[in-house]
Structures are given as C-alpha cells and as structure tokens.
Amino acid sequence: SAVISQKPSRDICQRGTSLTIQCQVDSQVTMMFWYRQQPGQSLTLIATANQGSEATYESGFVIDKFPISRPNLTFSTLTVSNMSPEDSSIYLCSGNTGTEYGYTFGSGTRLTVV
Amino acid sequence: GQQVMQIPQYQHVQEGEDFTTYCNSSTTLSNIQWYKQRPGGHPVFLIQLVKSGEVKKQKRLTFQFGEAKKNSSLHITATQTTDVGTYFCAGPTGYSTLTFGKGTMLLVSP
C-alpha cells in the first residue's frame, strides 16, 4: 500500500490567517481525500481532491474556506483559510491504491487556532 | 444519507479478556472496512469484507459481515495492551468515499 507524508504535523496559528497542509504520496493513488477529526471523535470527510479539476466538497464545507489543489496523482494541498478557533482540529489526508488495501492516511496535522 | 452506527463507544477490559465492537449501517453496503487508530496516531486499515456472511481472521482478530450486508463486528480474543486504540468501521458512500462510524475506544489494563 501507499505511504503518505503529511506536513506540517502541527501548528499554532493566529485567527484570521491561513494554513496550507501538504500531502505527498510515494505512489500514484486513484483517489485522495481530506478529513477533519476532533480529538476523540470520528472522521468527517471535507472533500475529494480531484486531479486537475476542482475538488468535490461535502455538505458544510466550501471551497472559499478549504481550497484544495491536486496538481498530479501523488500530491495534494488543503488550505484552511481565514481561521477561527472553531477550525482547531486534526486534519488528515487519505488515498487509496486498490480496494484490497483500503485507504492509507497521512500522519495528520494538529491545528490550533488562537 | 447513509449512517454508520457503532457500539459501544468505549470499553475498558482487563488484559486477556475478549472484546467485541459492532457496526450497523442504515443501508446495504457493498463492502465494509475496519480501521484502527492508536492514541495520537492516524487510522490504519485492518481489513475489508465484501461477501455476505464473510468471516475473516487476523491472528486474534475476527471480522464478520452480516448476511444482509448491513452489519459487521470485530472480535478480539484475549486482548493485549497493544490492542489499545479506537476501532472504526467504514462503509462506502458515493464514488469511493467512506463514511466512518463513531468508533469504539478500547482500553486494556495490564
């Protein structure tokens, strides 16, 4: 299965600023996704990152707040824009290379907005 | 929309005891996946079940998929402290996206 490198691993940001999270996969993946997870909670899908086109966002998430890029099959970024304390969470990218391997996750970015 | 419910939310066992977590979907699933997330870690894929009534084993872990493909279970025999973590089931929604259950947090005391 693929290995996903995610950075930064954590950050503390001022409200009103933006943070870009990067994910690099060591092999081509069919699909890439971005999730948000509050500590002790389940994973909530933010969007599917589509290569070369606009991401597909889930209900409650919009492009202006969470712009996503995926310029090729092995790289994607998520930007958390105009941050507020409510954006404090763990953000995870994920990808799949085949159904038998499930989804591989990056190590996550723990974001604190102050 | 599809909902994936998981019980219990939390279980604390003594090392050597068995553990089971149950997953129920509001709709029939084409497959179900199980993940484990260690404290401070990220989810790691354990297994995928596809066939109605399927049973798969990984050492002390036994995974089952219900006949109606709407429920699943994960059973751990003789838990060890290394089993500590949160176990999530996940079912597909739409094209290649997953809906995760709320997870069962397992704590194992030595």
Side-chain angles (χ1 to χ4, degrees):
Chain A
S1 61
V3 175
I4 299 180
S5 300
Q6 182 173 345
K7 60 180 182 182
S9 58
R10 61 178 63 230
D11 208 342
I12 301 174
C13 300
Q14 296 290 324
R15 69 179 65 199
T17 63
S18 298
L19 175 72
T20 295
I21 303 168
Q22 298 181 2
C23 273
Q24 179 73 53
V25 192
D26 67 346
S27 60
Q28 291 185 355
V29 291
T30 308
M31 310 290 289
M32 289 187 75
F33 309 92
W34 287 95
Y35 286 87
R36 185 168 70 182
Q37 184 180 33
Q38 299 287 351
Q41 302 296 314
S42 186
L43 291 85
T44 300
L45 180 64
I46 297 172
T48 301
N50 300 309
Q51 191 226 340
S53 64
E54 191 172 289
T56 304
Y57 290 85
E58 298 299 306
S59 176
F61 298 96
V62 295
I63 187 172
D64 290 346
K65 177 66 176 177
F66 298 101
I68 289 170
S69 77
R70 189 179 175 194
N72 55 56
L73 289 174
T74 62
F75 185 79
S76 180
T77 66
L78 167 74
T79 299
V80 186
S81 303
N82 188 24
M83 288 183 285
S84 66
E86 292 70 36
D87 295 320
S88 297
S89 188
I90 299 168
Y91 292 84
L92 294 147
C93 63
S94 174
N96 71 326
T97 55
T99 56
E100 65 269 32
Y101 301 117
Y103 287 67
T104 301
F105 284 83
S107 54
T109 297
R110 183 179 293 269
L111 171 63
T112 303
V113 184
V114 298
Chain B
Q2 177 184 300
Q3 294 185 3
V4 178
M5 294 151 284
Q6 207 173 336
I7 58 170
Q9 286 188 313
Y10 171 85
Q11 188 150 8
H12 185 182
V13 300
Q14 293 293 122
E15 191 171 24
E17 293 181 338
D18 292 356
F19 160 77
T20 304
T21 174
Y22 300 91
C23 184
N24 287 284
S25 170
S26 58
T27 60
T28 301
L29 301 170
S30 59
N31 67 78
I32 193 158
Q33 300 178 21
W34 285 91
Y35 292 79
K36 176 183 179 181
Q37 185 173 26
R38 296 181 184 275
H42 57 275
V44 174
F45 174 72
L46 293 177
I47 207 161
Q48 177 177 267
L49 304 171
V50 178
K51 300 176 182 177
S52 169
E54 188 170 15
V55 177
K56 287 188 176 181
K57 292 190 176 184
Q58 290 180 349
K59 299 182 180 179
R60 295 177 294 104
L61 279 61
T62 302
F63 303 84
Q64 291 188 322
F65 200 10
E67 293 291 340
K69 301 182 74 172
K70 295 179 71 173
N71 58 75
S72 182
S73 65
L74 159 60
H75 179 82
I76 302 178
T77 303
T79 55
Q80 300 175 358
T81 55
T82 53
D83 295 324
V84 164
T86 300
Y87 293 85
F88 292 97
C89 62
T93 53
Y95 180 67
S96 292
T97 57
L98 287 179
T99 295
F100 283 79
K102 292 189 180 298
T104 296
M105 182 184 295
L106 173 63
L107 181 62
V108 181
S109 294

